[in-house]
Amino acid sequence: MPRRTATMLASTLMLIALLCVGVFIPVPYAEMSPGPTVNTLGEHDGEPVLQISGRRTYPTDGHLNMTTVRVTSADYRMNLVEAVYGWLAHDNKVVPHDTLYPDGKTEEESTQENAEEFSQSQESAKVAALKELDVPVRSWVIVSTVVKGSPSEGKLHAGDVIKAVDGKAVEEPADVAELVTRHEPGQDVVFTIVPAKEQAAAEKENRTVTRTEKVTITTATSDDAGEKRAVVGISAGTDHTFPFTIDIKLADVGGPSAGLMFALGIYDKLTPGSLTGGRFVAGTGTIDDDGEVGPIGGIEMKTVGARAKGAQYFLTPADNCAAAAKDTPEGLTLVKVNTIDDALDALADIRSGDTAGLPRCTAS
């Protein structure tokens, strides 16, 4: 066989071998890409995203789009060829698998966590919007989750209202952990609660619960960063009662990052006129009950997805501004926001057409 032919054959076989390696050997990476973007003022799957009853609403126009990111599933393992393609693709991002699914988290566990965060973001969006409108909202501290196998399992339940710990009134979720950790592991802590079922019945009948129960739990030990402390195995959260009904209908979406856009959509529907002035505004950001906007993941994918749908402006959490500004899609203006008030001020400028003073994101 001539040397030239032999060299070409060897090179071809080597290339085939490398391709086989790239295709069949998995690598510990996952991929993020732009996901769907949905107008909170419009419809999704044939029904309004925001449904409000018991309170006057007003016509809206324009767009206040929430944005999403698609990710590969927890069980999917990319091969080397796919990883290299993802690294080279402009609109995608390849990240270590553990970034999306830490500690071996399963697809089911991740989906459940995202669903809980999405539900909480909806509640906070409602509260933040109504606070802006000076509409009173009743709030109380509840048991959000109970850890399986913990001292609280079977004694406390999700939805139980926590009135006091060791006789000391609870005003905020953080109060619960602070009062429990005053104990040494193995000591008893006494919770004063209203059971979830009784609270739900009272809300349905529009009455106040006066009867409470005392539950004694023996604390366990948690070794957190080398510091042993007392725990009971619950997480505390906040529940609310609203003076009218606000439903958010959006399936197959998880995580907390739509909070800001839901809050703005609710505000827009409850106030005369249009927040956007007919413009296409998209955005992202978590929101808490006080209207503070927090950072999210996948900002680069969200700006790409928003611009592809026609967004002109993108409301960006301040802590995400630098990353978003490094590769801003052409024709999209990134507007920096720290609070819902910042977002409302920016929308007023966008609505009027006076955008010179908008707080824009920069890469520095």
Side-chain angles (χ1 to χ4, degrees), residues 92-351:
N92 297 353
K93 186 175 183 180
V94 175
V95 297
H97 189 272
D98 289 346
T99 300
L100 300 179
Y101 304 101
D103 303 322
K105 187 179 296 181
T106 66
E107 182 81 13
E108 183 179 6
E109 290 170 336
S110 180
T111 299
Q112 177 62 30
E113 182 178 301
N114 284 334
E116 291 173 358
E117 291 178 339
F118 186 62
S119 178
Q120 182 58 54
S121 76
Q122 293 179 36
E123 291 297 293
S124 293
K126 297 172 189 177
V127 176
L130 295 190
K131 280 188 175 181
E132 283 293 315
L133 296 168
D134 293 324
V135 175
V137 177
R138 291 178 54 220
S139 304
W140 51 84
V141 178
I142 63 166
V143 177
S144 289
T145 57
V146 179
V147 177
K148 188 175 182 180
S150 72
S152 293
E153 186 178 16
K155 294 187 175 183
L156 296 177
H157 304 86
D160 288 346
V161 178
I162 305 173
K163 305 292 287 186
V165 176
D166 293 329
K168 297 178 177 62
V170 168
E171 303 292 340
E172 303 286 343
D175 295 342
V176 178
E178 195 274 328
L179 291 167
V180 169
T181 54
R182 290 183 183 182
H183 291 267
E184 294 294 327
Q187 292 182 335
D188 287 345
V189 58
V190 180
F191 282 76
T192 303
I193 68 164
V194 175
K197 289 184 179 179
E198 186 161 342
Q199 180 65 34
E203 290 177 44
K204 186 175 182 180
E205 297 166 9
N206 195 27
R207 61 178 172 83
T208 302
V209 180
T210 57
R211 187 182 70 84
T212 60
E213 297 180 4
K214 293 186 184 298
V215 179
T216 300
I217 300 173
T218 302
T219 59
T221 303
S222 174
D223 190 351
D224 185 11
E227 181 183 356
K228 296 187 183 300
R229 57 188 176 87
V231 296
V232 294
I234 67 167
S235 61
T238 307
D239 201 2
H240 311 277
T241 293
F242 302 101
F244 50 90
T245 302
I246 305 173
D247 285 330
I248 298 176
K249 303 291 187 180
L250 194 59
D252 301 323
V253 177
S257 65
L260 171 63
M261 302 313 292
F262 284 145
L264 293 172
I266 293 167
Y267 185 97
D268 199 359
K269 283 181 173 286
L270 292 173
T271 53
S274 166
L275 278 186
T276 67
R279 272 69 166 186
F280 194 136
V281 180
T284 188
T286 65
I287 200 165
D288 66 15
D289 291 359
D290 295 321
E292 297 288 329
V293 176
I296 50 79
I299 187 67
E300 303 94 329
M301 272 86 260
K302 293 184 175 183
T303 56
V304 169
R307 183 56 186 153
K309 287 296 184 180
Q312 302 158 289
Y313 301 92
F314 194 93
L315 303 178
T316 311
D319 288 343
N320 289 125
C321 261
K326 288 179 180 178
D327 192 14
T328 307
E330 185 177 353
L332 187 67
T333 298
L334 303 182
V335 182
K336 179 170 66 174
V337 296
N338 285 290
T339 65
I340 188 174
D341 286 329
D342 291 344
L344 291 171
D345 289 343
L347 286 168
D349 290 341
I350 291 169
R351 186 168 62 247

